[in-house]
Amino acid sequence: MRIGLDVMGGDYAPEKIISGAILAYKELKNSAEIVLFGPQNIITELLKKHKTEPNCFSIEHCSEVIEMCENPVKAFTTKTDSSIVKGFKLLTNNEIQGFTSAGNSGAVMVGATKVSKTIEGIIRPCISSLIPNTNNSFNVLLDVGINVDCAPEQLYQFGIIGSIYANLINNIPNPKVGLLNIGSEEIKGNRIVRQAFELMKSSNDFNFYGNIEGNEIFDINKADVIVTDGFTGNVLLKQAESFFNLAYQNSNENSFINKFNYELYGGTPVLGINHNLIIGHGISNDIAVKNMIIQTKKLHDTAILANIKKMFRYEKN
Amino acid sequence: MRIGLDVMGGDYAPEKIISGAILAYKELKNSAEIVLFGPQNIITELLKKHKTEPNCFSIEHCSEVIEMCENPVKAFTTKTDSSIVKGFKLLTNNEIQGFTSAGNSGAVMVGATKVSKTIEGIIRPCISSLIPNTNNSFNVLLDVGINVDCAPEQLYQFGIIGSIYANLINNIPNPKVGLLNIGSEEIKGNRIVRQAFELMKSSNDFNFYGNIEGNEIFDINKADVIVTDGFTGNVLLKQAESFFNLAYQNSNENSFINKFNYELYGGTPVLGINHNLIIGHGISNDIAVKNMIIQTKKLHDTAILANIKKMFRYEKN
């Protein structure tokens, strides 16, 4: 497969993006080709600095850069020779089979919804995050920010998508899907969540576990997939991130606390669109970039797209 | 003042409740009188075991016990000689000026809303939690569980109540009130939160800071009060609690991580009703019980009730 990487996106771009690409190249060996999107001269210069042969990578020259603070829609529409816009162009042409960017996430989402487009049958795409659990593995939390208001049917679809993701990406057979709530009983929660529970409890599309509370997110014996709306998911995830920062600053190196270093995990897959796409944090360092590339490859290798599409075709019939 | 304590409430009742009462007695000295609600014989036996003079306390004999798993409404209605029901009776008679229980929180909330009743002008009561910040002090998060669906006007009222609380209990002059959201910009969030932002930004009732993100909850330089609905607040708080448990199990004793030991803080004040009331966790140990009592005293000493009432009288005019 060919994996596109936005060299100009992120607070530490382009330096750390290139170092990340080199780390990924070493890890992937020849199992995938990394395509660097950005100004040719900057890329070749940085590769030279790292004493890396330019022919380890493909380079897709882009003359424009979408800055982090730009208006997403306007930037995506006007800067047609930017790394983000070209990334989506090559995705739709199937010249690359996945794309990852730590750049202007609004602009990336414009590409996701307007160019890559939502998979038929899916109400709206979502983004998910891996939550470290107490068994050296990960639970999946979704949505973590795109859908701030969710209908019960959307939460139900997150259950399907999350289940496929946990199965293929985290290698969990028949993943348990939990609905984030403020109590374990069926009657708990707000109207939307109670309606979602109603839909989920008789689901044949995934293995419904029941309600999951905030203190059970990191558990290994509860749900493998935690479904919530993008508002709650976003504040939860950000709280978890800041927890890591606080704990890390205040403790000695601790392998457990390190598991909460979200920076190292790479990015967030956009699920429900027609291509493999990983959005990174603005603050992505080289390790994060390397992992974004590896993640993109994993999306491709596990054929998660095809699996999601298949599931939603089935849904419609 | 006289502080009522439910001796029969909580997973470690009555043993740890009594040890907590003794700890509080030593700390409070003669500045407040602790009234123990429960079976006289059990109380005197435990005090004897701890070699504590029974006259250090008042005892309010109760022949019945509301169990943790009982139906709250039914239990509150039928067990009129239980510690919870009698606690509210003495609150309304002004025989005690505050009450605290780690027992069946549903039953306590029945008492809060049906006996103590919501303060005029307040849409619905809320519960708040102290969030340790990076400056050895605390931010206030509310609501953390009662109001799963909130109108913008309720969020606005939480701003008023939280501001009064942070000022009086946390000693913060002119506390900054933040609205929990998924981004800092005014246009972020769901419909309810955007409408709440509109109300808050021109508030004369509190010092509005703006939006607060999930990773800023522990910050000292952002908001002193964090307003959210009871659904989001509840899952956030529970996540924070489980973080402590995880980090604690996996690290050596660490004074910073210990700050996240919510068990030690005591309970959750119910704000917006006509009496001083602290609800404890079921798992409260003696330190938690001691702190629940100290917290109840602080509610009384700072006259928070009068301040909230005054504010909402003003609101109506």
Side-chain angles (χ1 to χ4, degrees), chain B residues 51 69 91 120 131 139 147 157 180 241 254 271 294:
Chain B
K51 300 186 177 46
C69 51
L91 274 177
E120 225 187 310
I131 301 289
N139 298 332
N147 304 281
Q157 291 199 340
L180 190 65
E241 289 175 0
N254 176 311
L271 300 170
I294 308 287

Side-chain angles (χ1 to χ4, degrees), chain A residues 14-69:
Chain A
E15 287 78 8
K16 292 289 181 189
I17 309 290
I18 293 291
S19 351
I22 295 168
L23 289 172
Y25 172 76
K26 288 174 182 163
E27 190 163 323
L28 292 174
K29 305 220 167 64
N30 291 319
S31 67
E33 186 183 354
I34 300 169
V35 185
L36 305 174
F37 286 73
Q40 174 107 35
N41 59 331
I42 292 180
I43 293 171
T44 45
E45 207 164 290
L46 281 169
L47 289 176
K48 201 172 156 189
K49 192 176 145 194
H50 285 283
K51 301 187 176 46
T52 304
E53 287 291 325
N55 62 12
C56 297
F57 301 94
S58 279
I59 297 174
E60 196 63 45
H61 174 67
C62 308
S63 63
E64 290 178 297
V65 174
I66 294 181
E67 305 292 345
M68 298 298 272
C69 52

Side-chain angles (χ1 to χ4, degrees), chain B residues 48-210:
Chain B
K48 200 172 158 190
K49 193 176 144 193
H50 285 283
K51 300 186 177 46
T52 303
E53 288 291 324
N55 62 11
C56 297
F57 301 93
S58 278
I59 298 174
E60 195 65 42
H61 174 67
C62 308
S63 61
E64 290 178 295
V65 175
I66 295 181
E67 304 292 344
M68 296 300 270
C69 51
E70 280 188 80
N71 176 294
V73 176
K74 196 177 160 198
F76 196 91
T77 318
T78 55
K79 292 192 165 172
T80 51
D81 202 48
S82 64
S83 45
I84 293 174
V85 176
K86 284 193 88 172
F88 280 97
K89 196 174 154 198
L90 269 70
L91 274 177
T92 50
N93 291 345
N94 200 27
E95 290 176 57
I96 54 176
Q97 286 72 46
F99 184 63
T100 182
S101 169
N104 187 317
S105 58
V108 177
M109 283 310 300
V110 172
T113 50
K114 302 292 176 198
V115 181
S116 187
K117 293 201 173 77
T118 307
I119 290 171
E120 225 187 310
I122 291 184
I123 302 167
R124 278 193 63 187
C126 58
I127 55 179
S128 73
S129 186
L130 292 175
I131 301 289
N133 67 26
T134 46
N135 193 29
N136 257 324
S137 132
F138 295 92
N139 298 332
V140 178
L141 175 69
L142 73 176
D143 179 38
V144 295
I146 298 189
N147 304 281
V148 289
D149 282 309
C150 283
E153 293 74 17
Q154 280 180 283
L155 295 175
Y156 183 87
Q157 291 199 340
F158 297 165
I160 300 178
I161 295 170
S163 180
I164 295 170
Y165 190 87
N167 178 233
L168 296 177
I169 306 292
N170 295 359
N171 274 316
I172 297 164
N174 200 23
K176 289 176 286 182
V177 174
L179 178 64
L180 190 65
N181 207 334
I182 64 166
S184 56
E185 307 89 335
E186 186 168 341
I187 52 144
K188 287 279 183 171
N190 57 25
R191 191 177 50 82
I192 299 280
V193 170
R194 287 197 307 272
Q195 288 176 1
F197 190 104
E198 273 303 304
L199 293 175
M200 287 178 174
K201 75 174 180 186
S202 50
S203 171
N204 294 318
D205 294 324
F206 52 82
N207 179 9
F208 184 50
Y209 169 84

Side-chain angles (χ1 to χ4, degrees), chain A:
Chain A
M1 78 173 289
R2 301 181 83 226
I3 302 169
L5 173 67
D6 175 8
V7 171
M8 303 311 285
D11 299 343
Y12 305 134
E15 287 78 8
K16 292 289 181 189
I17 309 290
I18 293 291
S19 351
I22 295 168
L23 289 172
Y25 172 76
K26 288 174 182 163
E27 190 163 323
L28 292 174
K29 305 220 167 64
N30 291 319
S31 67
E33 186 183 354
I34 300 169
V35 185
L36 305 174
F37 286 73
Q40 174 107 35
N41 59 331
I42 292 180
I43 293 171
T44 45
E45 207 164 290
L46 281 169
L47 289 176
K48 201 172 156 189
K49 192 176 145 194
H50 285 283
K51 301 187 176 46
T52 304
E53 287 291 325
N55 62 12
C56 297
F57 301 94
S58 279
I59 297 174
E60 196 63 45
H61 174 67
C62 308
S63 63
E64 290 178 297
V65 174
I66 294 181
E67 305 292 345
M68 298 298 272
C69 52
E70 280 189 81
N71 176 293
V73 176
K74 197 178 159 198
F76 196 91
T77 317
T78 56
K79 293 192 164 171
T80 51
D81 203 47
S82 62
S83 45
I84 293 174
V85 176
K86 284 193 88 170
F88 279 96
K89 197 176 155 198
L90 270 70
L91 272 177
T92 51
N93 293 344
N94 200 27
E95 291 177 58
I96 54 177
Q97 286 71 46
F99 184 63
T100 182
S101 169
N104 188 317
S105 58
V108 177
M109 282 310 300
V110 172
T113 51
K114 304 291 177 200
V115 181
S116 187
K117 293 201 174 77
T118 306
I119 290 171
E120 224 188 310
I122 291 185
I123 302 167
R124 280 193 62 187
C126 58
I127 55 178
S128 73
S129 186
L130 292 176
I131 301 289
N133 66 27
T134 45
N135 193 30
N136 258 324
S137 132
F138 294 92
N139 298 331
V140 178
L141 176 69
L142 74 174
D143 179 38
V144 295
I146 299 188
N147 305 281
V148 290
D149 282 309
C150 283
E153 293 74 17
Q154 279 179 283
L155 295 174
Y156 183 87
Q157 289 198 341
F158 298 165
I160 300 178
I161 296 170
S163 180
I164 294 171
Y165 190 87
N167 178 232
L168 295 177
I169 305 292
N170 296 357
N171 275 315
I172 297 164
N174 199 23
K176 288 175 285 182
V177 174
L179 179 64
L180 190 64
N181 206 335
I182 64 166
S184 56
E185 307 88 335
E186 187 169 341
I187 53 144
K188 286 280 181 170
N190 56 27
R191 189 178 50 81
I192 299 280
V193 170
R194 287 196 308 270
Q195 287 175 3
F197 190 104
E198 272 303 305
L199 292 174
M200 288 177 173
K201 75 176 181 186
S202 50
S203 172
N204 295 317
D205 294 324
F206 52 83
N207 178 9
F208 184 51
Y209 170 84
N211 286 329
I212 276 287
E213 295 186 71
N215 54 331
E216 299 171 330
I217 289 169
F218 307 110
D219 276 17
I220 172 203
N221 294 318
K222 308 275 175 169
D224 306 301
V225 175
I226 299 140
V227 167
T228 191
D229 65 83
F231 189 94
T232 309
N234 183 278
V235 295
L236 263 186
L237 182 63
K238 284 182 182 158
Q239 176 177 251
E241 289 175 2
S242 71
F243 239 117
F244 163 75
N245 288 328
L246 288 171
Y248 189 76
Q249 283 161 23
N250 287 276
S251 75
N252 298 324
E253 187 84 24
N254 176 311
S255 67
F256 177 77
I257 286 176
N258 245 325
K259 286 183 61 182
F260 290 95
N261 188 352
Y262 284 90
E263 228 178 278
L264 299 180
Y265 294 150
T268 305
V270 180
L271 299 170
I273 59 170
N274 285 290
H275 296 97
N276 296 312
L277 176 65
I278 300 274
I279 301 182
H281 288 245
I283 51 156
S284 295
N285 61 14
D286 45 359
I287 314 258
V289 170
K290 189 263 286 180
N291 287 328
M292 284 159 62
I293 297 171
I294 307 288
Q295 265 182 300
T296 309
K297 179 165 189 297
K298 204 164 180 181
L299 291 180
H300 175 263
D301 291 351
T302 55
I304 188 165
L305 262 184
N307 277 277
I308 293 177
K309 283 184 188 173
K310 193 171 68 186
M311 196 65 192
F312 282 89
R313 264 202 301 276
Y314 171 78
E315 270 249 297
K316 283 180 61 187
N317 300 339

